[in-house]
Amino acid sequence: MPDRRPKLLILGTRGIPAAHGGFETFAERLALYLAGRGWQVGVYCQRDVETVRERISTRWWNGIELISVEIGLSGPAATLAFDALCAHDAAARGGVCLVLGYNGAVFLPYLRARGGRIVTNMDGIEWRRPKWSLAVRAFFYVSEWIAAWSSQRLVADHPIIADHLALRRPRGAIATIPYGGDPPPADPGPPPLGLEPDRYLVSIARIEPDNNILTLVEAFSRRPRGVRLVVLGTLKVGNPYHRAVEDAASPEVLFPGAIYEPEQVQALRVHARAYLHGHTVGGTNPSLVEALWAGNAVIAHDNPFNRGTAGDGQFYFSDLGNCADAIERVLTDKAAVATARKAARLRADQFRWDDVLASYENALRRVGGYPPAPQAPTAGAATVGAAAGSEW
């Protein structure tokens, strides 16, 4: 007897269990949620090997089919090969395909032509990132258009992203669903790295120009602060930007590298005086949402993405000078910090995982032609477009 349960395949991440970043965390949450609600769920997982022996294999994890794809390449070629193999395999499996990001959009027309029902989370506006060369930015620009027109439904994780996508497709093809988060545990434990609660600021981001890490470090290092600045993220030898960040740092700046243990990162957030967020490109950033749930006062680059996520109750900067001013105020004005922390906790309620995942299920059911969800999703801030309803 055929299995008539709704079916989902998740493409575009390195796989689950999550170990790499926001998309992987989201894929894990959604896969577990839908499997618990009776869906057949498969998640493609990239497996890097020296020699390909079994190109595609499967195993089961918590009721989810993990579809491992062996890749014997490295760099961008490995990513493209993985995306191509996933699209080819998914075309033969049926169900709804949720594609996270549009890096492999060049393969989506093939998947669509083979009858694929495609929902694509369009992530941020990747081609605007200054770190990419002109050729790479052109590739992403074209890929964005291909994804927009190859997918039956687009997901924007921020209203500004939805506005941008509306230049590509009609509004009725776009669902606006943010990223989700959870409240921290009642006892997160002490902060790691020998830090003292409320005696440090923290930045959790890839160390890249469009994340303004150099600006944050320079602003903090203008004079002795009596507290630490903890900059999580990988520094690579020979990278000019990374070298500039290190050269600008005062002795009070700590570079512990990337930390992936969730408990340590959670404790690091909860006990921080404030969270620093320099991102300039993207939608609803997972790290910023997690900072709100941790009740952090936030110092963020002033742009519509960050204001739309964190709200008006936080501290914003547009250049080196007012970044230094914001840091000074956070370190000296206890009342302002307390107000910002209260605002963060209130704002976080707009980013509940239950609301986010229920909105995704509704969108996926519509594209797949499946009956409505057995129970109506919880009403919340996660919204769905008229026809449907970013290490870190």
Side-chain angles (χ1 to χ4, degrees), residues 311-383:
D312 293 330
Q314 303 302 329
F315 307 89
Y316 292 93
F317 70 91
S318 56
D319 57 32
L320 180 62
N322 51 43
C323 182
D325 293 341
I327 290 173
E328 180 67 17
R329 188 177 180 198
V330 161
L331 294 178
T332 58
D333 191 336
K334 291 183 178 180
V337 170
T339 299
R341 287 172 172 172
K342 181 179 179 180
R345 294 185 185 98
L346 291 173
R347 190 74 174 182
D349 198 55
Q350 298 188 27
F351 305 101
R352 290 188 174 275
W353 272 122
D354 286 347
D355 296 330
V356 169
L357 300 176
S359 293
Y360 266 95
E361 182 178 14
N362 279 349
L364 294 167
R365 282 182 175 274
R366 286 176 177 270
V367 171
Y370 301 125
Q375 297 179 344
T378 303
T383 60

Side-chain angles (χ1 to χ4, degrees), residues 204-205 207 231-235 255-261 265 391-392:
I204 303 175
I207 300 177
V231 180
L232 263 66
T234 302
L235 289 165
F255 296 103
I259 298 176
Y260 292 107
E261 291 75 11
V265 177
E391 297 183 346
W392 307 275

Side-chain angles (χ1 to χ4, degrees), residues 170-260:
R171 289 277 183 178
I174 303 166
T176 304
I177 310 174
Y179 194 83
D182 292 307
D187 181 12
L193 308 172
L195 296 163
E196 298 179 46
D198 209 41
R199 299 288 299 168
Y200 64 93
L201 310 176
V202 64
S203 165
I204 303 175
R206 290 187 177 93
I207 300 177
E208 297 173 350
D210 49 292
N211 290 340
N212 275 302
I213 306 301
L214 179 57
T215 299
L216 298 175
V217 170
E218 287 182 332
F220 178 85
S221 300
R222 278 189 163 186
R223 66 175 186 80
R225 300 289 184 179
V227 299
R228 304 300 298 270
L229 169 61
V230 184
V231 180
L232 263 66
T234 302
L235 289 165
K236 296 180 180 179
V237 176
N239 182 304
Y241 186 76
H242 292 180
R243 184 169 60 251
V245 169
E246 290 183 286
D247 290 345
S250 74
E252 293 177 312
V253 180
L254 177 63
F255 296 103
I259 298 176
Y260 292 107

Side-chain angles (χ1 to χ4, degrees), residues 2-64:
D3 192 334
R4 299 188 180 279
R5 293 179 299 160
K7 183 175 184 179
L8 173 68
L9 297 171
I10 299 179
L11 300 79
T13 79
R14 290 185 62 87
I16 64 173
H20 294 279
F23 262 159
E24 284 75 19
T25 298
F26 165 69
E28 180 176 318
R29 295 295 294 254
L30 182 64
L32 290 169
Y33 174 84
L34 292 179
R37 290 177 59 80
W39 284 66
Q40 306 172 69
V41 181
V43 180
Y44 286 92
C45 306
Q46 183 172 335
R47 185 181 174 200
D48 298 318
V49 297
E50 291 188 5
T51 302
V52 175
R53 301 186 185 279
E54 187 176 10
R55 178 64 79 181
I56 295 177
S57 60
T58 62
R59 64 184 179 90
W60 291 89
W61 176 77
N62 289 338
I64 300 161

